[in-house]
Amino acid sequence: MPQSNFKPLSLMSVSPMTAGEEPWTPLPYTDAPRYDAQTLLSHWSRLHAGHALPPPPGEHPLADGWALYHSGEFERAAALGLAHGADGLLLANQATAVYANYLEPRESVRLSMFRQVIERAAAQATAEPDNCHALYWQAYALGRYSQGISVARALAQGLGSKLKGALERVIELQPLHADAHVALAAFHAEVIDKVGALVGRMTYGVRAEMSVELFERGLELHPHSPSALMEYGRALLMLHGDAHMGEATQLYEKAAALQPADAKERLDVELARAGLAD
């Protein structure tokens, strides 16, 4: 059964080791989909259904980088993205954040990676205020970093307001951005879980009904997202407790039964299975 405190932070056991030059942990599943630049483009709309990113030209090196990312070669994808400056920042940030979230076993390294993404994405968003992708990955990394240091501590540092503002701006710029709807919905639920409905509403402007509304809209836009299904299940337990355990379990079961479209979804499916086994 999924638990209200189940956080999809990592599939690896956390170690207190410090950062070094060690290679990133490889994807542990050999059955994840694999892509090259050509097959990537033919599946692009499904792979990017959560945020409607336009595809790169097939002959562009970033097409190879995105193929690496969707195949689970996160370290190589991030390096290729960084090698292409501003044009490759989205790829670098996405590959780094997703790797840190799911596979990095060292807590200090994970938090450092999230800080890197926050800083790079924030700088890009400052230079390009209407860049919804920079804003989204800034918010994503802020959210996972906040979970790592504790949500209460992050709220005290003002990170919650930055996250909420970034996601609201993403939705304003791109109303069909499913991932932003889900992330903002999860933020509402997480804050209510930590500070209560009254303080959450008065101090942070969060509401349980808004969380549900955002989740429903996000899943309407991208119904085959295993991460969205799991986040919704967790949120129902945070907002309503065991009274919604049956519904939360159904959401996890649906996520666990999905056919993953890429390496990241393969990791999500495994997390759903782990949540059901708890």
Side-chain angles (χ1 to χ4, degrees):
M1 291 289 187
Q3 303 298 314
S4 60
N5 62 353
F6 177 76
K7 292 181 171 54
L9 290 176
S10 178
L11 284 163
M12 307 297 285
S13 60
V14 174
S15 163
M17 291 188 294
T18 57
E21 297 301 321
E22 298 179 27
W24 293 9
T25 300
L27 185 76
Y29 308 112
T30 59
D31 59 347
R34 302 285 300 185
Y35 294 95
D36 58 27
Q38 293 306 312
T39 56
L40 166 79
L41 294 177
S42 65
H43 291 85
W44 185 268
S45 60
R46 168 63 181 87
L47 292 169
H48 293 264
H51 49 262
L53 178 71
E59 68 280 2
H60 196 284
L62 284 178
D64 293 321
W66 281 110
L68 289 169
Y69 166 79
H70 288 294
S71 300
E73 299 281 351
F74 299 121
E75 185 172 17
R76 292 174 63 195
L80 192 152
L82 290 174
H84 284 81
D87 290 342
L89 268 184
L90 171 57
L91 171 61
N93 287 340
Q94 185 164 335
T96 302
V98 167
Y99 167 78
N101 188 57
Y102 292 90
L103 293 174
E104 175 52 54
R106 297 161 293 178
E107 182 69 3
S108 61
V109 178
R110 175 191 294 159
L111 293 177
S112 176
M113 287 180 163
F114 287 140
R115 287 195 298 268
Q116 290 170 20
V117 173
I118 292 166
E119 291 168 6
R120 290 195 303 246
Q124 188 175 28
T126 298
E128 307 169 37
D130 292 341
N131 188 327
C132 66
H133 302 296
L135 288 164
Y136 174 76
W137 287 103
Q138 178 192 8
Y140 180 98
L142 278 169
R144 295 312 192 214
Y145 179 79
S146 297
Q147 288 176 325
I149 66 171
S150 90
V151 172
R153 180 180 169 192
L155 290 173
Q157 294 178 5
L159 301 185
S161 297
K162 291 181 180 179
L163 186 160
K164 184 171 181 281
L167 291 173
E168 288 174 342
R169 179 60 176 156
V170 172
I171 293 171
E172 180 183 348
L173 291 168
Q174 191 178 106
L176 302 183
H177 198 299
D179 292 346
H181 283 80
V182 170
L184 185 56
F187 172 79
H188 279 254
E190 194 95 49
V191 172
I192 291 169
D193 180 57
K194 296 302 181 292
V195 305
L198 179 60
V199 174
R201 183 173 68 252
M202 295 181 65
T203 306
Y204 303 103
V206 298
R207 295 182 292 114
E209 57 269 29
M210 178 58 70
S211 177
V212 171
E213 181 180 323
L214 286 163
F215 272 122
E216 292 289 343
R217 179 58 174 154
L219 283 167
E220 179 184 355
L221 292 167
H222 187 14
H224 303 297
S225 169
S227 61
L229 291 164
M230 282 189 292
E231 291 283 12
Y232 196 7
R234 286 186 62 243
L236 288 174
L237 295 179
M238 286 190 286
L239 294 171
H240 305 295
D242 288 349
H244 283 249
M245 178 60 74
E247 189 175 352
T249 299
Q250 289 178 358
L251 288 164
Y252 266 74
E253 288 173 344
K254 187 173 181 179
L258 288 173
Q259 183 67 33
D262 69 353
K264 191 262 187 188
E265 289 194 3
R266 177 65 182 86
L267 292 163
D268 282 323
V269 167
E270 198 65 28
L271 276 171
R273 294 170 180 169
L276 289 167
D278 284 350

